Amino acid sequence: MPETQFSKRRLVILISGRGSNMQALAEACRLEGWPADIAAVIASRPDAGGLEWAAGQGIPTAALYHKDYASRDAFDTALAAEIDRYSPDYVILAGFMRVLTPGFVNHYAGRLVNIHPSLLPAFPGLHTHAQALATGVRVHGCTVHFVTPVLDHGPIIAQGCVPVLAGDTPELLADRVLAVEHQAFPAAVRWLAEGRVTLTNDHRVDVQGDPARLFNWSPAA
């Protein structure tokens, strides 16, 4: 019998803003009965809109304002100490707009998961939707992946695809990508909660049961 029959995975979610992906994860966890608990939501700024929503759901919250720390290392050390209070099985980056230090990433190796708004390895970094439009690609999307010390790289768990349409702006494209993020991210985190995700020796992801790991946007999504 799987371990998840006996104990729930503990998830800590990191945000920087309104936390729409965090909300999608928390709602899917509750509605679908994942074998997981959202142990805490932690923000990189005290005015992050998602904190109020999480607190309203009874989820413990905290905020560590990065500008209050003298260095990136100091912030990451304090952040790790706050996260570790909740003994997480996984730390989920849901719109967490901070570049993390190698020490922090290595501390959570194999337990740190991010969603990035592009089809990695294309368009790492910021302004991904503008990058996509500037290069003329016809397909764009998102990637759920394990975090490594190399920015916006790491073994891919799931991806979501959207078409690039005539007349698109970065804002229109971002809205379409967000809709497919809300499909791919909850599915991937549920697999993690169910203990179905493993890393292979050649640094790829295997998901027990071989579910579809590519999510496609549709107008009704």
Side-chain angles (χ1 to χ4, degrees):
M1 186 176 293
E3 179 187 352
T4 52
Q5 295 292 318
F6 297 99
S7 62
K8 292 185 175 183
R9 299 295 200 275
R10 293 176 58 79
L11 310 176
V12 169
I13 303 178
L14 306 187
I15 64 172
S16 292
R18 61 179 176 166
S20 72
N21 268 311
M22 174 270 295
Q23 294 180 35
L25 294 174
E27 289 175 344
C29 182
R30 176 177 58 86
L31 294 172
E32 298 173 7
W34 297 0
D37 288 317
I38 310 300
V41 171
I42 302 173
S44 63
R45 47 189 310 135
D47 61 351
L51 290 173
E52 182 178 0
W53 185 91
Q57 304 301 305
I59 301 171
T61 63
L64 285 76
Y65 192 28
H66 62 89
K67 291 187 177 180
D68 290 339
Y69 296 85
S71 67
R72 194 180 301 275
D73 282 323
F75 173 76
D76 280 8
T77 297
L79 178 61
E82 181 65 26
I83 292 169
D84 288 347
R85 291 180 55 225
Y86 300 97
S87 303
D89 293 289
Y90 290 101
V91 179
I92 311 297
L93 307 178
F96 190 69
M97 303 303 291
R98 300 291 301 161
V99 176
L100 297 165
T101 58
F104 182 96
V105 172
N106 289 330
H107 180 65
Y108 297 106
R111 298 188 290 145
L112 189 61
V113 175
N114 181 51
I115 188 163
H116 181 75
S118 80
L119 291 170
L120 292 174
F123 313 132
L126 300 175
H127 311 299
T128 59
H129 311 306
Q131 291 185 60
L133 293 174
T135 58
V137 296
R138 309 320 302 157
V139 177
H140 189 42
C142 65
T143 302
V144 184
H145 66 101
F146 284 104
V147 178
T148 67
V150 180
L151 180 66
D152 294 331
H153 283 68
I156 292 171
I157 304 170
Q159 290 185 301
C161 286
V162 306
V164 179
L165 304 177
D168 263 342
T169 64
E171 293 75 21
L172 289 172
L173 191 52
D175 287 345
R176 201 174 305 121
V177 170
L178 188 62
V180 81
E181 287 179 16
H182 290 173
Q183 299 175 58
F185 208 9
V189 176
R190 179 174 182 168
W191 300 333
L192 291 166
E194 292 172 342
R196 296 167 59 188
V197 178
T198 56
L199 286 167
T200 66
N201 290 334
D202 57 353
H203 306 291
R204 292 182 299 107
V205 168
D206 181 71
V207 181
Q208 184 181 0
D210 196 25
R213 291 164 55 191
L214 177 64
F215 297 81
N216 291 298
W217 175 88
S218 68

